[in-house]
Amino acid sequence: MSKTTMQFSGGWDERERAQSAHFPPAEEMETKVQKIMNSLQNDGTLASLVDPNKISDHDLVTRFLIQWKFDWKVAETKVREMVKFRREFASRETGSSIDKLSSQPLPSAWALMRCSIPSSPSVGGQQPSLYLSGWCGSDLRGRPVFYDRFAKEAITHCKHQQKEILSAQVAHLEHLRAFAKSKGCDRVVNIMDLRNLPSTAVAHVHFVQTLRQAGGLMSNFYPEMTATIFVAFAPGPIQKAWNVLLGVIPDRVKLKFVMLPTGKKEPAPLDVLLNFIPKESIPADLGGDKPMNQLLPLDCNATGGPQTLSV
């Protein structure tokens, strides 16, 4: 059994106990949250924030405090930077303000990173693409699970359309938040399937830059949005790079990621996922019971019903 499998074999209970060990006492946390909120309320920062997908001001501030290692002064600064970012953002494709993104279909640049298959039947003489990315159910805590498979062409697109991809990533994050809130949840669970990426992916500068900047968007402006990110079928060089990172990133951050075993000399990805997600909510391509033609599109709240794939 791999080290990763053993570390998370106890499922959510074990993981959440491990994460809580890095938190200060609840009273100390609340004192810091109130300090930040008082400051942001006094100068009107929170009042100026337009964010239909936040749960509450208290929840938002708490997320930033956790993200920035419980340093309330740094967390306060980061909240201000987030408010400024939201005020100045406009989609490069639609010109939409950020608060409207989750009520609109995803921009076309979102598809540049995703693996697609032709749909059937054709529409207007053309075969539109449908994506192997979507909501697949709920985890054992009731949180929505989003499955995301990247395309090998993502590497080329990152070189030529990086700005558009990053703008679309903001829309992606807004849709994740909106769906979670609609289900009464404060976080989502992500499964990232990298099986289509070539082993040389980490050698492509623009691809790595895009991933790094996408990660920066999450940590700076959408902290603590995911409960865990499961990474499936990572190419060997990505696994090696991850093993190096394990030696330098904080333990609390490590607990956000699970590098799933490949199923070759280790257990199958399904063996680990079943500790966190029921089989009916695990995509069939990972050994679960969720048919790949029954994934709900990321922007289903904006566009309506489920997608139907012919696979």
Side-chain angles (χ1 to χ4, degrees), residues 131-139 144-149 189-193 195 230 232-233 260 268-274 276-296 307 309 311:
Y131 300 94
L132 296 177
S133 295
W135 299 106
C136 50
S138 301
D139 74 347
V145 179
F146 185 76
Y147 172 79
D148 210 1
R149 188 187 297 186
V189 173
N190 280 40
I191 303 174
M192 293 174 55
D193 191 329
R195 72 180 70 197
F230 295 95
F233 299 112
L260 294 171
L270 179 65
D271 296 331
V272 177
L273 288 171
L274 285 173
F276 303 89
I277 305 169
K279 195 172 183 182
E280 61 266 23
S281 295
I282 298 174
D285 282 2
L286 290 173
D289 291 339
K290 187 70 174 184
M292 301 307 293
N293 65 349
Q294 290 184 15
L295 301 178
L296 277 173
Q307 59 186 344
L309 307 185
V311 292

Side-chain angles (χ1 to χ4, degrees), residues 1-2 5-6 260-272:
M1 184 176 290
S2 71
T5 307
M6 289 189 294
L260 294 171
T262 61
K264 296 177 181 178
K265 296 182 179 180
E266 305 172 297
L270 179 65
D271 296 331
V272 177

